[in-house]
Amino acid sequence: MNPRRISPSRAPFRAGAAAALCALLAGCAGTGAADGGPDGGDNRFISGNGNVTEYKPADRKGLSNVGGEQLDGKAFKLADLKGKVVVVNFWASWCAPCRGEAPSLQQVYDEKKAQGAEFLGVNFKDAKPNAQAFERKFKVTYPSLFDADGRVTLAFRDVPPSAIPSTLVLDRQGRVAARIIGATTYTKLNPLVGKVLAEK
């Protein structure tokens, strides 16, 4: 991917955001995870072990105002999904585990959307054409925010995803009920979403 020129007026923000993002995603090695190149090399993702953390309602944290532009160019605000259980998946086309988990995410979405679940991808540090090709290849039908500079991911700093891929399950009040660090599977994600959907 060709480097983008940064205007002087935006340089301080970009530098600050990059530093904060590396702190957020512990283990950010060099520029690898941020490059998001087109060749799909496996050495660019920040690995997680797939551990699941569930949060009791009293311990759940809400999110700051999350929004941005979807891969299709439409504006999106997470607040518009309040009252729904929302699964937020952080992914990139250059991330091999993301490719591995994509069919499972789509399957859970297909099965749970009629019960009130919504899915949202956050496409992290990627090139838009590569991300769109990924969605076509894996037949992803739920929307994704295009997070080229990491601003969207930073909005989750209170319960950080900490790896690419990572998945958060938000309750109907918009609070983080569960977090999966690393790639997920159908058998791991489906019961988590069902459990939060069953909450009153």
Side-chain angles (χ1 to χ4, degrees):
M1 185 171 69
N2 293 330
R4 295 179 181 176
R5 298 184 64 182
I6 301 173
S7 68
S9 63
R10 298 188 69 184
F13 173 83
R14 289 285 180 90
L21 201 58
C22 266
L24 172 68
L25 297 175
C28 181
T31 59
D35 288 343
D39 62 9
D42 291 353
N43 63 345
R44 271 190 281 255
F45 72 94
I46 303 158
S47 63
N49 56 14
N51 278 355
V52 176
T53 304
E54 296 183 66
Y55 301 92
K56 297 177 181 178
D59 298 329
R60 293 175 186 172
K61 294 182 179 180
L63 299 169
S64 56
N65 193 21
V66 176
E69 183 179 295
Q70 298 174 184
L71 283 170
D72 62 6
K74 295 178 182 177
F76 176 88
K77 290 183 180 179
L78 186 62
D80 292 341
L81 297 181
K82 196 163 185 180
K84 301 272 191 179
V85 170
V86 182
V87 176
V88 183
N89 175 254
F90 297 82
W91 66 278
S93 65
W94 42 259
C95 158
C98 299
R99 296 192 288 272
E101 70 174 4
S104 295
L105 287 158
Q106 184 63 44
Q107 185 178 358
V108 178
Y109 173 65
D110 289 340
E111 294 183 9
K112 297 298 187 186
K113 60 184 176 181
Q115 301 174 37
E118 296 285 351
F119 277 49
L120 175 69
V122 177
N123 177 241
F124 174 77
K125 293 283 185 176
D126 213 339
K128 187 176 284 188
N130 295 345
Q132 291 168 331
F134 178 103
E135 290 197 324
R136 289 192 300 271
K137 179 177 180 180
F138 293 103
K139 298 179 173 61
V140 177
T141 61
Y142 52 85
S144 279
L145 292 175
F146 183 53
D147 192 23
D149 58 10
R151 291 193 218 196
V152 176
T153 303
L154 282 172
F156 292 84
R157 63 173 62 87
D158 289 337
V159 187
S162 302
I164 301 296
S166 286
T167 302
L168 303 177
V169 182
L170 312 183
D171 65 17
R172 297 182 193 277
Q173 287 75 49
R175 304 171 301 177
V176 179
R179 177 177 63 174
I180 303 168
I181 300 299
T184 191
T185 61
Y186 175 86
T187 55
K188 186 179 292 183
L189 181 60
N190 192 54
L192 282 176
V193 177
K195 187 174 181 180
V196 181
L197 279 167
E199 293 179 353
K200 302 299 181 185

